[in-house]
Amino acid sequence: MTNGETLTKHISSNRKLLNLVVNEGDILTQVTTYKIPLVYQAIKDQNEFAKSLKSKGYVYRFFQGYLWVFPLKQKENVVKELSELLKKQLGLTNEIEEASINLMDDKVWYPITVKTIKDSLKQLAYNSPNILFQKDHNAIELISTSTTIYEPEISIRVVLGLKINGIYKCNSNNICFSVKEIEEAIQLNRTTGSYQFLLNRREQYLETARKYYRPETEKECINTFLQSHPIQIFISKKNLVFRQILSPKQVKTFQKVKGLVKLDEFF
Amino acid sequence: MSILDIRTELIKEFDLNPPDLEFANGFKSSKPMRGLLHSGPYDYEHSDKRLKREFRKIKIFCLYPKGESRIKKLLREISTLLVNGHDRRVYTDCDFPCFETLFKTELIPPDSDDYYIYTSSSTEPRIDQITANLAALPSDCKPIFLIGGRSHRSRKEQQIDYIFSKKIISRNNLPSQFMSYFSLGGIQYGVLTKLEKKENVGYSLWNIGLGIYGKVGGIAWTIPQVQTGQSFSKGVDITIGLGFARLEEKDSINKFYIGCASILDKDGRWIGAVHINPFFIPAETRRLVVPQEIMRSIIKNALRQARKDVKVGVALEKRTQISLAVHKRGYFHAEEVIGVREGISDIETEFSSNQLRKRIFYNLISVIKHQDIEVIDSLRSSKNFGVRLNTTNAILYTGRPERGIPPIRITCDDLIEPYSYFENIQQIGTHINNLTLLHWQTTIPRSIKMPASLYFASRIAVLEVKGIKPPNGSPLLTTPWFI
């Protein structure tokens, strides 16, 4: 299908779409967590502990006198690993309790759920070779280094990105993101071989890129990004997947199945 | 705090169908310019004596900074344009018929001794002389001060002239219209700069005219409560908008706030404002939560003030059921909700008599100005619309979506309560959208996205923080002096 055909279809359908991307993977009602009786004040000067947790693939939050830890990878012996870290970095032998938490509960939504998901998104970007990450106020920007819009020089590209503005509850037990399409100018760092954000002449490249690249609709751009880089987050054995903008068809489908929805049901 | 839970099966678009504005002799139009040209302001020759305006003439006085004879000259020029009219020179400009044609009010230009000087220091202009000149005005003639200044109110760091001159004038119970002589980076921000550079001033003259008329107590237009298309606009007897601004107390670890409750009637007519004395919230409280007792007293005072109004007061006396909407930017905290409920309960008892038991039906409506849920490709829409997110939340495109003005979000958690006046979130959407048309700030339709109730309240609170406030009991308080 050409871009022109897509545009015609979009206009003729005359349906208004919201900038929401709904999780199509597991729901976060019963999530395994590791509770350690620890308060932030006790470790606020111990940066090494926090760094070690992150480097070993964990995200964590302090809430109600506990440190709540969630592994972002499939792991065995989490309790053992955390105990060793605690002892090595802080010299503590606190008991670690494996518990189940409902991350959709209102009480933990802001203090734990939203922040855990934000941290997971950052980790996703750090671990993915084709995604650059940057923070813009409260929003998280994921930039695809492979979806080129315009290439003015060999080492410079204007690429497509996705700005995740907000994280919301959806249908009581699911989550969704409000997103916006963005473009970003990046340049190749020849020393490290990786891409980094272009600060000089950035606006100039973006302006020129817009003359060459005419996205048909915002929906097209967002879906293009998500199809090439579906956002997949793994939080304590739960796999969250964000693959496309919420469509009217999807709205009806959710009503029927109330939970996990497969991608082939949409098309 | 209310947590937004989007229900995908409930997502639905709805039309906001903004009603036409009502001008003199019942003439209706969606365009302020057309309405004023065709028929004149709403309160001109109004059949209801309580709503008919009390003045026939407006006399201009001018105030300019010391040593700025350029500004004095430009103020004289702009006064002449307001009195005689302005013909556009290029197609991007617009004609401005004279003030008298539009507002059916004679505008008297300033005489040579009607120009006063102010300095940005403690010295005030010759207030005694001003007062003597004002005393000579006939009773049906209202004064307006055109202030010229080298600052612009949109730029925080360059507001000295604006703040100082406004302080002096409002303290002396006088209405004023500030005009800026200000440019930055080659862009002419102020109307006086535009005039000097011979740029387009047609639209600015319309807005200045509208500002002058509002500030002397005139009502340029109202919104009649009508049934339009599918969306029914429920008329709320009294709307209270709560606005707050933070006092800049740098030495204190606690946060001090000052507030204002603006009160509008069923037709969106300005009734007045209740000033809220400074209150503090502890440093550990991360967001503004109005203490319960303060909220209670705000509601009580606002409803008492509404009762004193010539038109609303009569309606309140006769009826047993009264409808009320309380607006606030951001979510209502549980403590605030209790305060509102207690205030309303007190007023129900106070207004009731042995024979007549009053009942107030009300809703607490949160309006979130900056939020991120939007409609994809909203630039294609040229009309106002809303999208329901669940039973208690909706986003509203109250401004111009085609110009890229993002939507606001409204939340109302008490729709299912027995005291709720509105039945669904769509009705609230229409109510809020109607109030966005009542700002009297500009003659360009749909250019302000916040409802007048909140816009007015925030504006008063912000001005009060800067020390711009008419004294208690001032006649200015019965007019929208702050627009």
Side-chain angles (χ1 to χ4, degrees):
Chain A
M1 189 185 286
T2 64
N3 283 338
E5 283 169 346
T6 319
L7 177 64
T8 320
K9 195 180 167 192
H10 180 82
I11 294 170
S12 62
S13 69
N14 199 23
R15 299 288 291 269
K16 291 197 170 62
L17 302 174
L18 293 175
N19 61 340
L20 298 174
V21 183
V22 183
N23 167 37
E24 297 164 18
D26 299 338
I27 51 172
L28 296 173
T29 44
Q30 285 184 317
V31 182
T32 309
T33 182
Y34 298 89
K35 281 169 74 179
I36 307 169
L38 199 63
V39 290
Y40 171 71
Q41 284 73 15
I43 66 146
K44 67 178 179 182
D45 300 325
Q46 309 285 335
N47 289 337
E48 287 306 311
F49 178 66
K51 278 182 191 170
S52 305
L53 274 178
K54 278 182 191 168
S55 66
K56 290 195 182 291
Y58 292 102
V59 286
Y60 61 90
R61 304 306 318 169
F62 288 97
F63 181 60
Q64 289 188 339
Y66 286 95
L67 178 69
W68 305 71
V69 183
F70 301 88
L72 293 179
K73 298 175 195 164
Q74 190 76 42
K75 285 191 178 222
E76 299 294 326
N77 294 326
V78 174
V79 176
K80 191 182 166 196
E81 192 173 46
L82 289 175
S83 305
E84 283 171 5
L85 263 179
L86 265 180
K87 197 170 181 185
K88 191 178 164 191
Q89 304 283 351
L90 303 173
L92 296 174
T93 52
N94 295 7
E95 192 186 336
I96 299 169
E97 181 192 343
E98 184 177 329
S100 176
I101 185 172
N102 178 6
L103 288 181
M104 304 311 294
D105 193 311
D106 284 0
K107 283 178 191 165
V108 299
W109 176 253
Y110 283 115
I112 297 184
T113 316
V114 172
K115 288 175 179 173
T116 304
I117 291 168
K118 279 187 177 178
D119 285 353
S120 314
L121 283 168
K122 282 182 211 169
Q123 292 291 331
L124 169 84
Y126 286 135
N127 297 330
S128 171
N130 294 330
I131 292 182
L132 278 173
F133 162 81
Q134 71 178 343
K135 206 174 173 196
D136 177 26
H137 301 288
N138 280 327
I140 284 173
E141 293 184 355
L142 303 176
I143 315 292
S144 158
T145 55
S146 54
T147 318
T148 308
I149 291 170
Y150 168 60
E151 200 164 352
E153 293 168 33
I154 296 167
S155 60
I156 293 177
R157 284 176 179 183
V158 174
V159 290
L160 196 60
L162 194 70
K163 186 173 186 172
I164 299 172
N165 290 305
I167 298 168
Y168 298 100
K169 269 190 180 185
C170 180
N171 300 331
S172 309
N173 60 3
N174 205 348
I175 61 165
C176 64
F177 298 151
S178 67
V179 295
K180 212 166 175 59
E181 166 260 338
I182 46 169
E183 289 120 40
E184 189 59 73
I186 55 169
Q187 82 183 127
L188 182 70
N189 183 339
R190 292 189 188 282
T191 324
T192 59
S194 61
Y195 280 97
Q196 61 190 26
F197 293 102
L198 182 77
L199 300 174
N200 300 333
R201 296 181 292 158
R202 176 181 170 274
E203 292 306 321
Q204 176 202 327
Y205 284 123
L206 289 180
E207 204 174 297
T208 323
R210 282 179 198 123
K211 288 178 190 164
Y212 287 92
Y213 174 74
R214 295 187 184 280
E216 297 305 334
T217 65
E218 200 179 344
K219 179 193 166 195
E220 289 293 306
C221 294
I222 296 168
N223 279 347
T224 304
F225 181 94
L226 289 170
Q227 276 155 22
S228 50
H229 307 283
I231 298 173
Q232 285 186 297
I233 313 169
F234 184 87
I235 302 174
S236 286
K237 299 172 192 168
K238 301 282 181 183
N239 200 13
L240 311 183
V241 188
F242 300 86
R243 273 190 276 229
Q244 62 165 348
I245 208 107
L246 180 74
S247 67
K249 200 175 174 185
Q250 199 176 355
V251 169
K252 285 174 194 161
T253 318
F254 268 108
Q255 201 175 4
K256 281 178 200 162
V257 297
K258 289 181 184 171
L260 186 67
V261 178
K262 288 175 187 166
L263 188 65
D264 55 9
E265 285 184 60
F266 301 124
F267 299 105
Chain B
M1 186 191 283
S2 166
I3 293 173
L4 174 60
D5 184 1
I6 298 163
R7 309 296 299 214
T8 49
E9 77 274 16
L10 293 178
I11 292 175
K12 194 186 172 191
E13 182 196 343
F14 57 93
D15 284 338
L16 289 174
N17 291 331
D20 285 341
L21 313 173
E22 188 170 336
F23 297 88
N25 305 316
F27 180 75
K28 286 174 186 164
S29 171
S30 62
K31 293 173 180 163
M33 283 176 159
R34 187 157 175 257
L36 290 170
L37 263 174
H38 183 276
S39 193
Y42 173 78
D43 56 354
Y44 162 64
E45 299 295 337
H46 200 283
S47 53
D48 189 337
K49 279 185 182 177
R50 292 167 303 185
L51 293 178
K52 194 179 168 185
R53 69 184 188 204
E54 292 167 351
F55 58 91
R56 290 181 170 276
K57 298 171 191 171
I58 299 171
K59 164 84 175 156
I60 300 177
F61 294 88
C62 293
L63 199 65
Y64 65 97
K66 192 178 181 182
E68 290 284 0
S69 53
R70 283 177 303 178
I71 294 183
K72 182 184 178 184
K73 188 177 153 241
L74 291 166
L75 284 173
R76 188 181 296 133
E77 253 181 73
I78 213 150
S79 307
T80 313
L81 288 177
L82 284 166
V83 174
N84 299 331
H86 156 83
D87 295 327
R88 68 175 181 180
R89 286 184 287 266
V90 288
Y91 75 97
T92 49
D93 198 6
C94 71
D95 291 333
F96 175 75
C98 65
F99 186 90
E100 191 169 351
T101 308
L102 292 174
F103 296 97
K104 316 293 181 204
T105 313
E106 187 188 344
L107 190 68
I108 306 165
D111 299 327
S112 55
D113 56 349
D114 290 334
Y115 290 86
Y116 300 96
I117 298 168
Y118 69 93
T119 53
S120 299
S121 66
S122 57
T123 334
E124 295 202 351
R126 294 158 296 164
I127 292 295
D128 50 340
Q129 194 194 332
I130 296 177
T131 322
N133 277 356
L134 293 178
L137 289 177
S139 60
D140 64 346
C141 183
K142 293 266 184 182
I144 182 84
F145 274 77
L146 299 187
I147 308 172
R150 295 155 296 195
S151 53
H152 199 267
R153 77 177 194 193
S154 65
R155 299 193 63 83
K156 267 187 183 173
E157 67 274 22
Q158 281 155 323
Q159 289 181 333
I160 302 167
D161 278 1
Y162 177 79
I163 293 171
F164 188 76
S165 56
K166 280 275 183 182
K167 253 187 204 175
I168 301 166
I169 293 297
S170 58
R171 212 179 284 160
N172 288 283
N173 302 324
L174 299 167
S176 61
Q177 174 69 40
F178 189 84
M179 278 177 272
S180 187
Y181 182 77
F182 179 76
S183 63
L184 187 76
I187 301 167
Q188 322 305 330
Y189 285 95
V191 62
L192 296 181
T193 335
K194 282 183 189 171
L195 191 65
E196 191 182 44
K197 303 274 179 196
K198 308 275 181 221
E199 288 192 12
N200 302 342
V201 290
Y203 288 104
S204 303
L205 287 170
W206 275 90
N207 295 340
I208 291 168
L210 184 65
I212 290 174
Y213 193 73
K215 284 167 181 180
V216 296
I219 304 169
W221 64 76
T222 63
I223 303 279
Q225 303 297 320
V226 287
Q227 201 170 351
T228 46
Q230 290 179 332
S231 64
F232 175 56
S233 160
K234 277 190 126 181
V236 182
D237 293 325
I238 303 162
T239 302
I240 299 173
L242 303 170
F244 301 92
R246 193 171 165 190
L247 278 171
E248 287 165 10
E249 297 272 340
K250 285 179 185 168
D251 302 334
S252 170
I253 54 159
N254 294 318
K255 298 167 191 168
F256 283 83
Y257 285 91
I258 209 159
C260 176
S262 67
I263 315 158
L264 303 175
D265 81 351
K266 194 167 188 167
D267 296 326
R269 196 171 55 87
W270 169 257
I271 294 176
V274 172
H275 287 267
I276 303 156
N277 288 331
F279 60 93
F280 84 93
I281 56 170
E284 59 269 20
T285 311
R286 292 175 71 184
R287 56 184 279 261
L288 167 64
V289 178
V290 184
Q292 187 180 326
E293 271 312 305
I294 293 179
M295 189 58 104
R296 184 180 182 172
S297 93
I298 294 169
I299 297 297
K300 280 161 72 174
N301 291 340
L303 289 172
R304 280 175 189 150
Q305 188 158 334
R307 197 188 195 186
K308 284 181 199 162
D309 181 75
V310 280
K311 197 180 169 199
V312 178
V314 175
L316 293 187
E317 286 303 319
K318 286 179 186 167
R319 302 209 344 236
T320 51
Q321 295 189 347
I322 303 158
S323 53
L324 169 73
V326 183
H327 301 171
K328 186 188 171 225
R329 259 184 83 169
Y331 295 111
F332 279 90
H333 189 271
E335 194 178 339
E336 295 170 340
V337 175
I338 296 169
V340 173
R341 281 184 192 155
E342 287 177 349
I344 289 172
S345 173
D346 292 349
I347 284 292
E348 278 178 337
T349 317
E350 192 178 311
F351 285 10
S352 299
S353 59
N354 290 338
Q355 296 83 27
L356 210 58
R357 169 94 187 124
K358 302 272 182 188
R359 177 95 199 270
I360 298 176
F361 290 88
Y362 63 97
N363 288 93
L364 276 65
I365 303 164
S366 303
V367 180
I368 294 133
K369 189 179 180 187
H370 301 293
Q371 60 91 37
D372 43 57
I373 299 175
E374 294 179 10
V375 164
I376 297 260
D377 300 317
S378 58
L379 294 173
R380 294 182 203 281
S381 305
S382 56
K383 57 175 188 172
N384 293 23
F385 66 95
V387 180
R388 182 179 68 187
L389 301 175
N390 58 23
T391 50
T392 57
N393 282 270
I395 56 166
L396 305 178
Y397 277 87
T398 49
R400 292 180 158 196
E402 71 273 24
R403 293 270 177 100
I405 298 179
I408 56 173
R409 193 167 89 225
I410 53 166
T411 301
C412 182
D413 288 331
D414 47 16
L415 277 166
I416 51 162
E417 301 290 344
Y419 56 75
S420 170
Y421 177 65
F422 290 105
E423 288 148 22
N424 53 47
I425 197 75
Q426 291 96 313
Q427 286 181 354
I428 297 180
T430 313
H431 160 71
I432 294 287
N433 186 52
N434 290 357
L435 287 177
T436 61
L437 304 168
L438 279 167
H439 45 75
W440 302 315
Q441 281 265 310
T442 167
T443 47
I444 299 165
R446 297 160 63 218
S447 39
I448 290 180
K449 69 174 188 174
M450 288 299 274
S453 51
L454 289 175
Y455 185 84
F456 289 171
S458 309
R459 183 106 192 93
I460 296 172
V462 168
L463 288 176
E464 201 172 330
V465 162
K466 293 186 168 93
I468 304 168
K469 184 193 168 192
N472 290 340
S474 163
L476 263 196
L477 295 171
T478 57
T479 65
W481 58 274
F482 45 83
I483 54 174

